[in-house]
Amino acid sequence: MAKPDKNDVIEEFTHAYTSVNGKRPDIQAKSGWYSIDGGKNVRLAQIQEMTAALLEDGSKTPSTSKATKKVMSEAPPKTTSKTRPKNVANTKPQKSGFSVKQYWADKLNTEAPGSTQPR
């Protein structure tokens, strides 16, 4: 499957947006992210989805700002403890059972029984 050319995708979106809204969109690109009319930054794949939404709604209503806003407002799903896969367990640091204080206490008792421990 060929990777879509960004210029073609932006051109198709501009044409669809212009035909529906009657004005050209203000598209600002920065590091692979695109801001359309000062809105939320989106990726190229989301612009393709917005183009499809504009073309579908373009034949029905003259205003597709709802369709554009809907696609732009969709955020990727956030993972929470309820949506996390079952095989990922909550990992807490395990205690090794080794204590330096106990080590020195045992060492002193074996070398010199009855001696006092250091503070």
Side-chain angles (χ1 to χ4, degrees):
M1 182 173 198
K3 194 173 175 183
D5 185 30
K6 67 178 181 179
N7 294 331
D8 292 340
V9 172
I10 292 174
E11 183 179 326
E12 290 173 6
F13 176 77
T14 303
H15 179 67
Y17 187 91
T18 305
S19 66
V20 173
N21 293 329
K23 64 173 188 156
R24 288 184 57 92
D26 178 32
I27 300 175
Q28 297 175 354
K30 184 175 181 182
S31 302
W33 291 90
Y34 298 90
S35 176
I36 299 169
D37 288 335
K40 183 178 173 186
N41 291 340
V42 293
R43 288 285 194 178
L44 200 60
Q46 291 172 320
I47 291 177
Q48 285 179 318
E49 293 172 5
M50 290 170 32
T51 303
L54 286 172
L55 292 176
E56 288 176 4
D57 291 341
S59 60
K60 297 177 187 174
T61 61
S63 174
T64 57
S65 60
K66 290 180 183 178
T68 307
K69 287 180 183 178
K70 179 183 174 194
V71 174
M72 289 177 68
S73 67
E74 291 177 356
K78 295 181 180 177
T79 57
T80 62
S81 61
K82 292 181 181 179
T83 60
R84 186 180 317 150
K86 298 289 182 187
N87 59 358
V88 178
N90 289 337
T91 56
K92 293 184 180 178
Q94 298 291 329
K95 299 232 176 193
S96 64
F98 179 77
S99 169
V100 175
K101 186 175 181 180
Q102 187 61 42
Y103 170 78
W104 281 103
D106 293 340
K107 182 178 178 183
L108 282 176
N109 283 335
T110 56
E111 290 179 0
S115 64
T116 59
Q117 298 178 10
R119 288 190 191 185

